[in-house]
Amino acid sequence: MRTFGLIGYPLAHSFSKKFFTEKFQEEGIAGHQYELFPIENIAAVVSLIAADDSLSGLNVTIPHKVGVMAYLNELDPAAQTIGAVNCIAIQHQDGKTWLKGYNTDAYGFQESLRPYLKKNHTHALILGDGGAAKAVKYVLDQLQLTYLSVVRSPAPDAILYSELTAEILQQYQVIINTTPLGTFPNIEAAPAIPYEWITDQHLAYDLVYNPEETEFLKRAKAKGAAIKNGFEMLQLQAERSWFIWNP
């Protein structure tokens, strides 16, 4: 028996459990299970892992992507640079446990974004500067795209939504929403950007995937922009986790 799971709090709904349960069934993988482990205090991860020798890997979601790093033995370069972990490989050997952290969000985002980039897409606006934006910045650095963060409150190396101009939108033709605005059930919400300056040269990417087409994407699409939601990113990061757990 090999057990995998997701830690976070709360865990009312989990894409990961559905994804891996269906994967095990479709591929005829016997002796595997994927469980939800809602832990409010990240320190509980120690006793969780110690109590189950079958536990072979964990995905990590909010609010523990940063806090869990203090309990790991090793980080892969991407997780180290980003400063956040969403996948843990667990090895049990000779009575000892070794925990290595990865960031598969970056992989998922990069592989889902890359096919949509055109020659004019050299500058990107990142809407929001929370945890999700860390992986986005890492990927944009890898792809050599210049980026600018847009935030609600004054912050270093960022501008306010109210400071966006036509000139900025003309230069920054990739717009990435890393905020939860527009997520079900609050589907009418959208980042407060000047949509009137979006054109058919723009690419709008929303990390939100429920609903499939957020208000942000609808407004950008109405201006002729190419659009992409975060569902493929979610699938790709999950597949990457499976690859890590089964080298």
Side-chain angles (χ1 to χ4, degrees):
M1 172 66 72
R2 296 181 76 203
T3 301
F4 304 89
L6 175 70
I7 59 172
Y9 192 86
L11 294 178
H13 171 266
S14 167
F15 163 86
S16 297
K17 181 174 175 64
K18 181 176 185 292
F19 177 88
F20 283 107
T21 299
E22 290 179 353
K23 182 179 184 69
F24 299 154
Q25 293 172 346
E26 291 170 0
E27 298 188 15
I29 302 173
H32 288 52
Q33 60 183 4
Y34 193 99
E35 303 293 342
L36 300 183
F37 302 108
I39 57 175
E40 191 167 4
N41 188 328
I42 188 55
V45 72
V46 177
S47 55
L48 173 70
I49 294 172
D52 189 353
D53 285 344
S54 76
L55 202 55
S56 304
L58 289 171
N59 289 123
V60 186
T61 189
I62 52 176
H64 300 319
K65 290 186 178 184
V66 176
V68 75
M69 295 171 68
Y71 299 90
L72 305 179
N73 303 104
E74 185 182 358
L75 295 173
D76 89 316
Q80 181 77 56
T81 302
I82 294 166
V85 162
N86 75 315
C87 176
I88 302 171
I90 304 171
Q91 291 186 331
H92 304 280
Q93 192 170 5
D94 300 326
K96 296 181 180 180
T97 302
W98 187 265
L99 308 177
K100 184 172 181 178
Y102 299 81
N103 191 301
T104 65
D105 284 335
Y107 171 83
F109 176 64
Q110 180 164 322
E111 293 306 303
S112 62
L113 174 70
R114 196 199 305 264
Y116 288 79
L117 294 176
K118 297 180 179 179
K119 289 183 179 180
N120 59 297
H121 293 150
T122 58
H123 291 66
L125 289 178
I126 305 173
L127 308 183
D129 200 25
K134 293 182 177 183
V136 168
K137 290 179 180 179
Y138 174 83
V139 168
L140 295 180
D141 280 334
Q142 299 298 304
L143 296 175
Q144 299 184 326
L145 268 68
T146 301
Y147 58 81
L148 179 62
S149 295
V150 187
V151 296
R152 291 181 298 174
S153 302
D157 302 318
I159 66 169
L160 300 175
Y161 283 91
S162 59
E163 295 177 307
L164 287 170
T165 64
E167 289 73 25
I168 292 174
L169 266 292
Q170 185 177 8
Q171 182 178 19
Y172 289 79
Q173 295 187 343
V174 178
I175 307 174
I176 303 159
N177 178 40
T178 71
T179 78
L181 286 171
T183 305
F184 181 86
N186 301 312
I187 60 173
E188 295 180 359
I193 64 172
Y195 292 91
E196 64 269 23
W197 294 325
I198 292 178
T199 70
D200 59 4
Q201 297 300 302
H202 283 82
L203 166 63
Y205 189 114
D206 201 333
L207 267 61
V208 174
Y209 62 92
N210 183 18
E212 182 177 337
E213 196 169 288
T214 59
E215 184 65 23
F216 164 67
L217 293 182
K218 285 181 181 179
R219 295 183 188 182
K221 182 180 179 180
K223 290 295 183 178
I227 64 171
K228 177 74 173 175
N229 70 21
F231 188 68
E232 186 184 21
M233 170 183 171
L234 202 62
Q235 292 177 308
L236 287 167
Q237 67 83 18
E239 286 287 1
R240 188 67 175 176
S241 293
W242 182 246
F243 175 81
I244 288 168
W245 296 330
N246 299 275

